Every structure is written in C-alpha cells, then in structure tokens.
Coordinates of all heavy atoms in Angstrom, one line a residue:
T18 N 6.7 -7.2 7.4 CA 7.2 -5.9 6.9 C 8.2 -6.1 5.8 O 9.1 -7.0 5.9 CB 7.7 -5.0 8.0 OG1 6.7 -4.8 9.0 CG2 8.3 -3.7 7.5
F19 N 8.1 -5.3 4.8 CA 9.1 -5.4 3.7 C 10.3 -4.5 4.1 O 10.2 -3.4 4.4 CB 8.6 -4.8 2.4 CG 9.6 -4.6 1.3 CD1 10.0 -5.7 0.6 CD2 10.1 -3.4 1.0 CE1 10.9 -5.5 -0.4 CE2 11.0 -3.2 0.0 CZ 11.4 -4.3 -0.7
E20 N 11.5 -5.2 4.3 CA 12.7 -4.5 4.7 C 13.8 -5.0 3.9 O 14.0 -6.1 3.6 CB 13.0 -4.8 6.2 CG 12.0 -4.2 7.1 CD 12.4 -4.4 8.6 OE1 13.7 -4.6 8.8 OE2 11.6 -4.5 9.4
T21 N 14.6 -4.0 3.4 CA 15.8 -4.3 2.6 C 16.7 -3.1 2.6 O 16.3 -2.0 2.6 CB 15.5 -4.8 1.2 OG1 16.7 -5.1 0.5 CG2 14.8 -3.7 0.4
N22 N 18.0 -3.4 2.6 CA 19.0 -2.3 2.4 C 19.4 -2.3 0.9 O 20.4 -1.6 0.6 CB 20.2 -2.5 3.3 CG 19.8 -2.3 4.8 OD1 19.0 -1.5 5.1 ND2 20.4 -3.1 5.6
N23 N 18.8 -3.1 0.1 CA 19.2 -3.2 -1.3 C 18.3 -2.4 -2.1 O 17.1 -2.6 -2.3 CB 19.1 -4.7 -1.7 CG 19.5 -5.0 -3.1 OD1 19.1 -4.3 -4.0 ND2 20.3 -6.0 -3.2
L24 N 18.8 -1.3 -2.8 CA 18.1 -0.4 -3.6 C 17.4 -1.1 -4.7 O 16.3 -0.8 -5.1 CB 19.0 0.8 -4.0 CG 18.3 1.9 -4.9 CD1 17.2 2.5 -4.0 CD2 19.3 2.9 -5.3
S25 N 18.1 -2.0 -5.3 CA 17.5 -2.7 -6.5 C 16.3 -3.5 -6.1 O 15.2 -3.5 -6.8 CB 18.6 -3.7 -7.1 OG 18.0 -4.4 -8.1
K26 N 16.3 -4.2 -4.9 CA 15.1 -4.9 -4.4 C 14.0 -4.0 -4.1 O 12.8 -4.2 -4.4 CB 15.4 -5.7 -3.2 CG 16.2 -7.0 -3.5 CD 16.5 -7.8 -2.2 CE 17.3 -9.0 -2.5 NZ 17.6 -9.8 -1.3
S27 N 14.3 -2.8 -3.6 CA 13.2 -1.8 -3.3 C 12.6 -1.3 -4.5 O 11.4 -1.2 -4.6 CB 13.8 -0.6 -2.5 OG 14.3 -1.0 -1.2
K28 N 13.4 -1.0 -5.5 CA 12.9 -0.5 -6.8 C 12.0 -1.6 -7.5 O 11.0 -1.3 -8.1 CB 14.0 -0.1 -7.7 CG 14.6 1.3 -7.3 CD 15.8 1.6 -8.1 CE 15.5 1.8 -9.6 NZ 16.7 2.2 -10.4
N29 N 12.5 -2.9 -7.4 CA 11.7 -3.9 -8.0 C 10.4 -4.1 -7.4 O 9.3 -4.3 -8.0 CB 12.5 -5.3 -8.0 CG 13.6 -5.3 -8.9 OD1 13.7 -4.5 -9.9 ND2 14.6 -6.2 -8.7
F30 N 10.3 -4.0 -6.0 CA 9.1 -4.2 -5.3 C 8.2 -3.0 -5.6 O 7.0 -3.2 -5.9 CB 9.4 -4.2 -3.8 CG 8.2 -4.4 -2.9 CD1 7.5 -5.6 -2.9 CD2 7.6 -3.3 -2.2 CE1 6.4 -5.8 -2.1 CE2 6.5 -3.5 -1.4 CZ 5.9 -4.7 -1.4
L31 N 8.7 -1.8 -5.6 CA 7.9 -0.6 -5.9 C 7.3 -0.7 -7.3 O 6.1 -0.5 -7.5 CB 8.8 0.7 -5.9 CG 8.2 2.0 -6.2 CD1 8.8 3.1 -5.4 CD2 8.3 2.3 -7.7
N32 N 8.1 -1.1 -8.3 CA 7.6 -1.2 -9.7 C 6.6 -2.3 -9.8 O 5.6 -2.1 -10.5 CB 8.8 -1.5 -10.7 CG 9.6 -0.3 -10.9 OD1 9.2 0.8 -10.9 ND2 10.9 -0.5 -11.2
F33 N 6.7 -3.4 -9.1 CA 5.8 -4.5 -9.1 C 4.4 -4.0 -8.6 O 3.4 -4.3 -9.2 CB 6.3 -5.7 -8.3 CG 5.3 -6.8 -8.2 CD1 5.0 -7.7 -9.2 CD2 4.5 -6.9 -7.0 CE1 4.1 -8.7 -9.1 CE2 3.6 -7.9 -6.9 CZ 3.4 -8.8 -7.9
V34 N 4.4 -3.3 -7.4 CA 3.2 -2.9 -6.8 C 2.5 -1.8 -7.7 O 1.3 -1.9 -8.0 CB 3.4 -2.3 -5.4 CG1 2.2 -1.6 -4.8 CG2 3.9 -3.4 -4.5
V35 N 3.3 -0.9 -8.3 CA 2.7 0.2 -9.1 C 2.1 -0.4 -10.4 O 1.0 -0.1 -10.8 CB 3.7 1.3 -9.4 CG1 3.2 2.2 -10.4 CG2 4.0 2.0 -8.1
K36 N 2.9 -1.3 -11.0 CA 2.4 -1.9 -12.3 C 1.3 -2.9 -12.2 O 0.4 -2.9 -13.0 CB 3.6 -2.6 -13.0 CG 4.5 -1.8 -13.7 CD 5.6 -2.6 -14.4 CE 6.4 -1.8 -15.4 NZ 7.4 -2.6 -16.1
N37 N 1.3 -3.7 -11.1 CA 0.3 -4.8 -11.0 C -0.8 -4.5 -9.9 O -1.7 -5.3 -9.8 CB 1.1 -6.1 -10.6 CG 2.0 -6.5 -11.7 OD1 1.7 -6.8 -12.8 ND2 3.3 -6.4 -11.3
G38 N -0.6 -3.5 -9.2 CA -1.6 -3.2 -8.1 C -2.7 -2.2 -8.6 O -2.8 -1.9 -9.8
S39 N -3.5 -1.8 -7.6 CA -4.6 -0.9 -7.9 C -4.2 0.5 -7.4 O -3.7 0.7 -6.3 CB -5.8 -1.3 -7.1 OG -6.2 -2.6 -7.6
K40 N -4.5 1.5 -8.2 CA -4.2 2.9 -7.8 C -5.4 3.3 -6.9 O -6.6 3.1 -7.3 CB -4.2 3.8 -9.0 CG -3.8 5.2 -8.7 CD -3.7 6.0 -10.1 CE -3.3 7.4 -9.8 NZ -3.1 8.1 -11.1
I41 N -5.1 3.9 -5.8 CA -6.2 4.3 -4.8 C -5.9 5.7 -4.3 O -4.9 6.2 -4.4 CB -6.2 3.3 -3.6 CG1 -4.9 3.3 -2.8 CG2 -6.6 1.9 -4.1 CD1 -5.0 2.7 -1.5
E42 N -7.0 6.2 -3.7 CA -6.8 7.5 -2.9 C -7.0 7.1 -1.4 O -7.8 6.2 -1.1 CB -7.8 8.5 -3.3 CG -7.5 9.1 -4.6 CD -8.5 10.2 -5.0 OE1 -9.6 10.2 -4.5 OE2 -8.1 11.1 -5.8
Y43 N -6.3 7.7 -0.5 CA -6.4 7.5 0.9 C -6.2 8.7 1.7 O -5.5 9.7 1.2 CB -5.4 6.3 1.3 CG -4.0 6.7 1.2 CD1 -3.2 7.1 2.3 CD2 -3.3 6.6 0.0 CE1 -1.9 7.4 2.2 CE2 -2.0 6.9 -0.2 CZ -1.3 7.3 1.0 OH 0.1 7.6 0.8
N44 N -6.7 8.8 2.8 CA -6.6 9.9 3.7 C -5.4 9.7 4.6 O -5.3 8.8 5.3 CB -7.9 10.1 4.5 CG -7.9 11.4 5.3 OD1 -6.9 11.9 5.8 ND2 -9.1 12.0 5.4
Y45 N -4.5 10.7 4.6 CA -3.4 10.7 5.5 C -3.2 12.0 6.2 O -3.0 13.0 5.5 CB -2.1 10.3 4.8 CG -0.9 10.2 5.7 CD1 -0.7 9.1 6.5 CD2 0.0 11.3 5.7 CE1 0.4 9.1 7.3 CE2 1.2 11.2 6.5 CZ 1.3 10.1 7.3 OH 2.4 10.0 8.2
Q46 N -3.4 12.1 7.5 CA -3.3 13.3 8.3 C -4.2 14.4 7.7 O -3.7 15.5 7.6 CB -1.9 13.7 8.4 CG -1.1 12.7 9.2 CD 0.4 13.1 9.5 OE1 0.9 14.1 8.9 NE2 1.0 12.4 10.3
G47 N -5.4 14.1 7.3 CA -6.3 15.1 6.7 C -6.1 15.4 5.3 O -6.9 16.3 4.8
E48 N -5.2 14.8 4.6 CA -5.0 15.1 3.2 C -5.3 13.8 2.4 O -5.0 12.7 2.8 CB -3.5 15.4 2.9 CG -3.0 16.6 3.6 CD -1.5 16.9 3.4 OE1 -0.8 15.9 3.0 OE2 -1.1 18.0 3.7
I49 N -5.9 14.0 1.2 CA -6.1 12.9 0.3 C -4.9 12.7 -0.6 O -4.4 13.7 -1.2 CB -7.3 13.2 -0.7 CG1 -8.6 13.5 0.2 CG2 -7.5 12.1 -1.7 CD1 -9.0 12.3 1.0
R50 N -4.4 11.5 -0.5 CA -3.2 11.2 -1.3 C -3.5 10.0 -2.2 O -4.4 9.3 -2.1 CB -2.1 10.8 -0.3 CG -1.8 12.0 0.6 CD -0.5 11.7 1.4 NE -0.2 12.9 2.2 CZ 0.9 13.0 2.9 NH1 1.7 12.0 2.9 NH2 1.1 14.1 3.7
T51 N -2.6 9.8 -3.1 CA -2.6 8.7 -4.1 C -1.6 7.6 -3.7 O -0.5 7.9 -3.3 CB -2.4 9.2 -5.5 OG1 -3.3 10.2 -5.8 CG2 -2.5 8.0 -6.5
G52 N -2.0 6.4 -3.8 CA -1.1 5.3 -3.5 C -1.4 4.1 -4.4 O -2.3 4.1 -5.2
Y53 N -0.7 3.0 -4.2 CA -0.9 1.8 -5.0 C -0.9 0.6 -4.0 O -0.1 0.6 -3.1 CB 0.2 1.6 -6.0 CG 0.3 2.7 -7.0 CD1 0.9 3.9 -6.8 CD2 -0.4 2.6 -8.2 CE1 0.9 4.9 -7.7 CE2 -0.4 3.6 -9.2 CZ 0.3 4.8 -8.9 OH 0.2 5.8 -9.8
V54 N -1.8 -0.3 -4.2 CA -1.9 -1.4 -3.3 C -2.0 -2.7 -4.1 O -2.6 -2.8 -5.2 CB -3.1 -1.3 -2.4 CG1 -4.4 -1.2 -3.1 CG2 -3.1 -2.4 -1.4
K55 N -1.3 -3.8 -3.7 CA -1.3 -5.1 -4.4 C -1.4 -6.2 -3.3 O -0.7 -6.2 -2.4 CB 0.0 -5.2 -5.2 CG 0.2 -6.6 -5.8 CD -0.8 -6.8 -6.9 CE -0.5 -8.2 -7.6 NZ -1.7 -8.8 -8.1
F56 N -2.4 -7.0 -3.5 CA -2.6 -8.2 -2.6 C -1.4 -9.1 -2.8 O -1.1 -9.4 -3.9 CB -3.9 -8.9 -2.9 CG -4.1 -10.2 -2.1 CD1 -4.4 -10.1 -0.8 CD2 -4.0 -11.4 -2.7 CE1 -4.6 -11.2 0.0 CE2 -4.2 -12.6 -2.0 CZ -4.5 -12.5 -0.6
M57 N -0.7 -9.4 -1.7 CA 0.5 -10.2 -1.8 C 0.4 -11.6 -1.4 O 1.3 -12.4 -1.4 CB 1.6 -9.5 -1.0 CG 1.9 -8.1 -1.4 SD 2.5 -7.9 -3.1 CE 4.1 -8.7 -2.9
G58 N -0.8 -12.0 -0.8 CA -1.0 -13.3 -0.3 C -1.5 -13.3 1.1 O -2.0 -12.3 1.6
T59 N -1.3 -14.4 1.8 CA -1.7 -14.5 3.1 C -0.6 -15.0 4.0 O 0.4 -15.6 3.5 CB -2.9 -15.5 3.3 OG1 -2.6 -16.8 2.8 CG2 -4.2 -15.0 2.6
T60 N -0.7 -14.7 5.3 CA 0.2 -15.3 6.3 C -0.1 -16.7 6.6 O -1.1 -17.3 6.1 CB 0.1 -14.5 7.6 OG1 -1.2 -14.7 8.2 CG2 0.3 -13.0 7.4
R61 N 0.7 -17.4 7.4 CA 0.4 -18.8 7.8 C -0.9 -18.9 8.5 O -1.5 -19.9 8.5 CB 1.6 -19.3 8.6 CG 2.8 -19.7 7.8 CD 3.8 -20.2 8.7 NE 4.7 -19.0 9.0 CZ 5.8 -19.1 9.7 NH1 6.2 -20.2 10.2 NH2 6.5 -18.0 9.9
K62 N -1.3 -17.8 9.1 CA -2.6 -17.8 9.9 C -3.8 -17.5 9.0 O -4.9 -17.5 9.4 CB -2.5 -16.8 11.0 CG -1.6 -17.2 12.1 CD -1.6 -16.2 13.2 CE -0.6 -16.5 14.3 NZ -0.7 -15.5 15.4
G63 N -3.5 -17.2 7.7 CA -4.6 -16.9 6.7 C -5.0 -15.4 6.7 O -5.9 -15.1 6.0
D64 N -4.2 -14.6 7.3 CA -4.5 -13.1 7.3 C -3.9 -12.5 6.0 O -2.8 -12.9 5.6 CB -3.8 -12.4 8.5 CG -4.4 -12.9 9.8 OD1 -5.6 -13.3 9.9 OD2 -3.6 -13.0 10.8
A65 N -4.6 -11.6 5.4 CA -4.2 -11.0 4.2 C -3.0 -10.1 4.4 O -2.8 -9.5 5.5 CB -5.3 -10.1 3.6
K66 N -2.2 -9.9 3.4 CA -1.1 -9.0 3.4 C -1.0 -8.3 2.0 O -1.3 -8.9 1.0 CB 0.3 -9.6 3.8 CG 0.7 -10.7 3.0 CD 2.0 -11.3 3.5 CE 2.4 -12.5 2.7 NZ 3.6 -13.1 3.2
F67 N -0.6 -7.0 2.1 CA -0.6 -6.2 0.9 C 0.7 -5.5 0.7 O 1.3 -5.0 1.7 CB -1.7 -5.1 1.0 CG -3.1 -5.6 1.0 CD1 -3.8 -6.0 2.1 CD2 -3.8 -5.8 -0.2 CE1 -5.0 -6.5 2.1 CE2 -5.1 -6.3 -0.3 CZ -5.7 -6.6 0.9
G68 N 1.1 -5.3 -0.5 CA 2.2 -4.4 -0.8 C 1.6 -3.0 -1.0 O 0.5 -2.8 -1.5
F69 N 2.3 -2.0 -0.5 CA 1.7 -0.6 -0.5 C 2.8 0.4 -0.9 O 3.9 0.3 -0.4 CB 1.2 -0.2 0.9 CG 0.6 1.1 1.0 CD1 -0.5 1.5 0.3 CD2 1.3 2.1 1.7 CE1 -1.0 2.8 0.4 CE2 0.8 3.4 1.8 CZ -0.4 3.7 1.1
V70 N 2.5 1.3 -1.8 CA 3.4 2.4 -2.2 C 2.5 3.7 -1.9 O 1.5 3.8 -2.5 CB 3.8 2.3 -3.7 CG1 4.6 3.5 -4.1 CG2 4.6 1.0 -3.9
G71 N 3.0 4.5 -1.1 CA 2.3 5.8 -0.7 C 3.0 7.0 -1.2 O 4.3 7.0 -1.4
T72 N 2.3 8.1 -1.3 CA 2.9 9.4 -1.8 C 2.7 10.5 -0.7 O 1.9 10.3 0.2 CB 2.2 9.8 -3.1 OG1 0.8 10.0 -2.8 CG2 2.4 8.7 -4.2
N73 N 3.3 11.6 -1.0 CA 3.1 12.8 -0.2 C 2.0 13.6 -0.9 O 1.5 13.2 -1.9 CB 4.4 13.5 0.1 CG 5.0 14.1 -1.1 OD1 4.5 14.1 -2.2 ND2 6.3 14.5 -1.0
N74 N 1.8 14.8 -0.4 CA 0.7 15.6 -1.0 C 1.1 16.2 -2.3 O 0.3 16.9 -3.0 CB 0.2 16.7 0.0 CG 1.4 17.7 0.4 OD1 2.5 17.5 0.0 ND2 1.1 18.6 1.3
Q75 N 2.3 16.0 -2.7 CA 2.8 16.5 -4.1 C 2.9 15.3 -5.0 O 3.3 15.5 -6.2 CB 4.2 17.2 -3.9 CG 4.1 18.5 -3.1 CD 5.4 19.1 -2.8 OE1 6.4 18.4 -2.9 NE2 5.4 20.3 -2.4
G76 N 2.5 14.1 -4.6 CA 2.6 13.0 -5.5 C 3.9 12.2 -5.5 O 4.0 11.3 -6.3
F77 N 4.9 12.6 -4.8 CA 6.1 11.9 -4.7 C 6.0 10.7 -3.8 O 5.5 10.8 -2.7 CB 7.3 12.8 -4.2 CG 7.5 14.0 -5.2 CD1 7.1 15.3 -4.9 CD2 8.2 13.7 -6.4 CE1 7.4 16.3 -5.7 CE2 8.5 14.8 -7.2 CZ 8.1 16.1 -6.9
I78 N 6.6 9.6 -4.2 CA 6.6 8.4 -3.4 C 7.4 8.6 -2.1 O 8.5 9.1 -2.2 CB 7.2 7.2 -4.2 CG1 6.2 6.9 -5.4 CG2 7.4 6.0 -3.3 CD1 6.8 5.9 -6.4
T79 N 6.8 8.3 -1.0 CA 7.4 8.5 0.3 C 7.5 7.2 1.1 O 8.2 7.2 2.1 CB 6.6 9.6 1.1 OG1 5.3 9.1 1.2 CG2 6.7 10.9 0.4
T80 N 6.7 6.2 0.7 CA 6.8 5.0 1.5 C 6.5 3.8 0.7 O 5.7 3.8 -0.3 CB 5.7 5.0 2.7 OG1 5.9 3.9 3.5 CG2 4.3 5.1 2.2
I81 N 7.3 2.7 1.0 CA 7.1 1.4 0.3 C 7.2 0.4 1.4 O 8.2 0.3 2.1 CB 8.3 1.1 -0.7 CG1 8.5 2.3 -1.6 CG2 8.1 -0.2 -1.4 CD1 9.8 2.2 -2.4
H82 N 6.1 -0.4 1.6 CA 6.1 -1.4 2.6 C 4.9 -2.4 2.4 O 4.1 -2.2 1.6 CB 6.1 -0.8 4.0 CG 5.0 0.1 4.3 ND1 5.0 1.4 4.1 CD2 3.7 -0.2 4.8 CE1 3.8 1.9 4.5 NE2 3.1 1.0 4.9
T83 N 4.9 -3.4 3.3 CA 3.8 -4.3 3.3 C 2.9 -3.9 4.5 O 3.4 -3.4 5.5 CB 4.3 -5.8 3.4 OG1 5.0 -5.9 4.6 CG2 5.1 -6.2 2.2
K84 N 1.6 -4.3 4.4 CA 0.7 -4.0 5.4 C -0.2 -5.2 5.6 O -0.5 -5.9 4.7 CB -0.3 -2.8 5.0 CG 0.4 -1.5 5.1 CD -0.7 -0.4 4.8 CE -0.3 1.0 5.0 NZ -0.3 1.4 6.4
S85 N -0.5 -5.5 6.9 CA -1.5 -6.5 7.2 C -2.9 -6.1 6.6 O -3.1 -4.9 6.4 CB -1.6 -6.8 8.7 OG -2.3 -5.6 9.3
G86 N -3.8 -7.0 6.4 CA -5.1 -6.7 5.9 C -5.8 -5.7 6.8 O -6.3 -4.6 6.3
K87 N -5.8 -5.9 8.1 CA -6.4 -5.0 9.0 C -5.9 -3.6 8.9 O -6.6 -2.6 8.8 CB -6.3 -5.5 10.4 CG -7.1 -4.8 11.5 CD -7.0 -5.4 12.8 CE -7.8 -4.7 13.9 NZ -7.7 -5.3 15.2
E88 N -4.6 -3.5 8.9 CA -3.9 -2.2 8.8 C -4.2 -1.5 7.4 O -4.4 -0.3 7.3 CB -2.4 -2.4 9.0 CG -1.6 -1.1 9.0 CD -0.1 -1.3 9.1 OE1 0.4 -2.4 9.0 OE2 0.6 -0.3 9.3
A89 N -4.1 -2.3 6.4 CA -4.4 -1.8 5.0 C -5.8 -1.3 4.9 O -6.0 -0.2 4.4 CB -4.1 -2.9 4.0
W90 N -6.8 -2.1 5.3 CA -8.2 -1.6 5.2 C -8.4 -0.3 6.0 O -9.1 0.5 5.5 CB -9.1 -2.7 5.5 CG -9.0 -3.9 4.5 CD1 -9.1 -3.8 3.2 CD2 -8.8 -5.2 4.8 NE1 -9.0 -5.0 2.6 CE2 -8.8 -5.9 3.6 CE3 -8.7 -5.9 6.0 CZ2 -8.6 -7.3 3.5 CZ3 -8.5 -7.3 5.9 CH2 -8.5 -8.0 4.7
K91 N -7.8 -0.2 7.1 CA -8.0 1.0 7.9 C -7.4 2.2 7.2 O -7.9 3.3 7.2 CB -7.4 0.8 9.3 CG -7.7 2.0 10.2 CD -7.3 1.7 11.6 CE -7.7 2.9 12.5 NZ -7.4 2.8 13.8
T92 N -6.2 2.0 6.6 CA -5.6 3.1 5.8 C -6.4 3.5 4.6 O -6.6 4.6 4.4 CB -4.2 2.6 5.3 OG1 -3.3 2.3 6.4 CG2 -3.5 3.7 4.5
F93 N -7.0 2.5 3.9 CA -7.7 2.8 2.7 C -9.1 3.3 2.9 O -9.5 4.1 2.1 CB -7.7 1.5 1.8 CG -6.4 0.8 1.6 CD1 -6.3 -0.5 1.4 CD2 -5.2 1.5 1.6 CE1 -5.1 -1.2 1.2 CE2 -4.0 0.9 1.4 CZ -4.0 -0.4 1.2
S94 N -9.8 2.9 3.9 CA -11.2 3.3 4.1 C -11.4 3.9 5.4 O -12.5 4.4 5.6 CB -12.1 2.1 3.9 OG -11.9 1.2 5.0
G95 N -10.5 3.9 6.3 CA -10.7 4.5 7.7 C -11.4 3.5 8.6 O -11.6 3.8 9.7
N96 N -11.7 2.3 8.1 CA -12.4 1.3 8.9 C -11.8 -0.1 8.6 O -11.9 -0.6 7.5 CB -13.9 1.3 8.5 CG -14.7 0.3 9.2 OD1 -14.2 -0.5 10.0 ND2 -16.0 0.4 9.0
S97 N -11.2 -0.7 9.7 CA -10.5 -2.0 9.5 C -11.5 -3.1 9.1 O -11.0 -4.2 8.7 CB -9.7 -2.3 10.7 OG -10.6 -2.5 11.8
K98 N -12.8 -2.9 9.3 CA -13.8 -3.9 9.0 C -14.3 -3.8 7.6 O -14.9 -4.7 7.1 CB -14.9 -3.9 10.0 CG -14.4 -4.2 11.4 CD -15.6 -4.3 12.4 CE -15.2 -4.4 13.8 NZ -14.3 -5.5 14.2
D99 N -14.1 -2.7 6.9 CA -14.5 -2.5 5.5 C -13.4 -3.0 4.6 O -12.3 -2.4 4.5 CB -14.7 -1.0 5.2 CG -15.1 -0.7 3.8 OD1 -15.2 -1.7 3.0 OD2 -15.4 0.4 3.5
K100 N -13.6 -4.2 4.1 CA -12.5 -4.9 3.3 C -12.6 -4.6 1.8 O -12.2 -5.4 1.0 CB -12.6 -6.4 3.6 CG -12.3 -6.7 5.1 CD -12.4 -8.1 5.4 CE -12.1 -8.4 6.8 NZ -12.1 -9.8 7.2
T101 N -13.2 -3.4 1.5 CA -13.3 -3.1 0.1 C -12.2 -2.1 -0.3 O -11.9 -1.1 0.4 CB -14.7 -2.4 -0.2 OG1 -15.7 -3.3 0.3 CG2 -14.9 -2.2 -1.6
I102 N -11.6 -2.3 -1.4 CA -10.6 -1.4 -2.0 C -11.2 -0.8 -3.2 O -11.8 -1.4 -4.1 CB -9.3 -2.2 -2.3 CG1 -8.6 -2.7 -1.1 CG2 -8.3 -1.2 -3.1 CD1 -7.4 -3.6 -1.3
Y103 N -11.2 0.6 -3.2 CA -11.9 1.3 -4.3 C -10.8 1.9 -5.2 O -10.3 3.0 -4.9 CB -12.8 2.4 -3.7 CG -13.9 1.9 -2.8 CD1 -13.7 1.9 -1.4 CD2 -15.0 1.4 -3.4 CE1 -14.7 1.4 -0.6 CE2 -16.1 0.9 -2.6 CZ -15.9 0.9 -1.2 OH -16.9 0.4 -0.4
P104 N -10.5 1.2 -6.3 CA -9.5 1.7 -7.2 C -9.9 3.0 -7.9 O -11.2 3.2 -8.1 CB -9.3 0.6 -8.2 CG -10.1 -0.6 -7.8 CD -11.0 -0.1 -6.7
I105 N -9.0 3.8 -8.3 CA -9.3 5.0 -9.1 C -8.5 4.8 -10.5 O -7.7 4.0 -10.6 CB -8.9 6.3 -8.4 CG1 -7.4 6.3 -8.1 CG2 -9.7 6.5 -7.1 CD1 -6.9 7.7 -7.7
K106 N -8.9 5.7 -11.4 CA -8.2 5.7 -12.7 C -7.1 6.7 -12.8 O -7.0 7.6 -12.1 CB -9.1 5.9 -13.8 CG -10.1 4.7 -13.9 CD -11.0 4.8 -15.1 CE -11.9 3.6 -15.1 NZ -12.4 3.3 -16.4

C-alpha cells in the first residue's frame, strides 16, 4: 500500500500515475468512474502491483494508492481473473 504523510510525495505519485498510466473507466458502487492505472512492478513473489488514482462521480480525485494485481483487475473489470486493462481516451 502507498502510504505517506508527505503531501509532496503524494502529489508526485499522483502526477506520475496520471501522466504515465492508462486512463480507464471502472464501476464503483454502481457508478461508472474514471481513473488512472500504472503497472508499478512485481512483489518478491512475482505478483503484479499497480498505482491507482480514482475519482468520484464528479471527476474529482478521491483516492491514490497501490493495488495488488488481483485487486486491481477485480476493480477494473469486475473479475479478478480477467487480466486485461481497457484504456480509454
């Protein structure tokens, strides 16, 4: 998990994910929202991890964190076994 009490580090991470990641749509509590996702590498066990920036239904950024591959894929597609990320423009 990405954790910091440093606003500068949070802003740098957010900007990195938004600039270098893929813009996606995802379903959150029955609403389609826009977010950004960036592959960040793997854990020591070889599991994928992603940086994620999520928004509310008005498009304002509400969350910045890392997600495991399984958790990310479930968020992005509703299915933790579907490892496809569908970017939007």
Side-chain angles (χ1 to χ4, degrees):
T18 300
F19 172 77
E20 292 184 28
T21 183
N22 291 326
N23 184 312
L24 182 58
S25 178
K26 285 183 181 180
S27 295
K28 286 174 62 177
N29 287 342
F30 183 74
L31 179 146
N32 287 330
F33 175 78
V34 172
V35 170
K36 281 184 170 183
N37 299 294
S39 298
K40 185 176 182 180
I41 61 166
E42 287 184 336
Y43 64 100
N44 187 323
Y45 180 77
Q46 296 182 348
E48 297 175 342
I49 300 299
R50 299 193 179 183
T51 302
Y53 298 85
V54 61
K55 173 71 177 147
F56 177 71
M57 302 298 293
T59 58
T60 65
R61 283 181 265 186
K62 293 181 179 180
D64 298 325
K66 57 184 176 180
F67 293 89
F69 178 71
V70 175
T72 63
N73 64 13
N74 60 0
Q75 297 173 341
F77 294 105
I78 293 170
T79 57
T80 187
I81 306 165
H82 58 268
T83 58
K84 286 184 171 281
S85 69
K87 185 176 182 179
E88 183 183 10
W90 294 309
K91 187 171 182 177
T92 299
F93 309 149
S94 70
N96 180 352
S97 63
K98 296 186 189 302
D99 181 358
K100 298 181 181 182
T101 307
I102 295 174
Y103 300 96
I105 61 171
K106 293 186 182 207

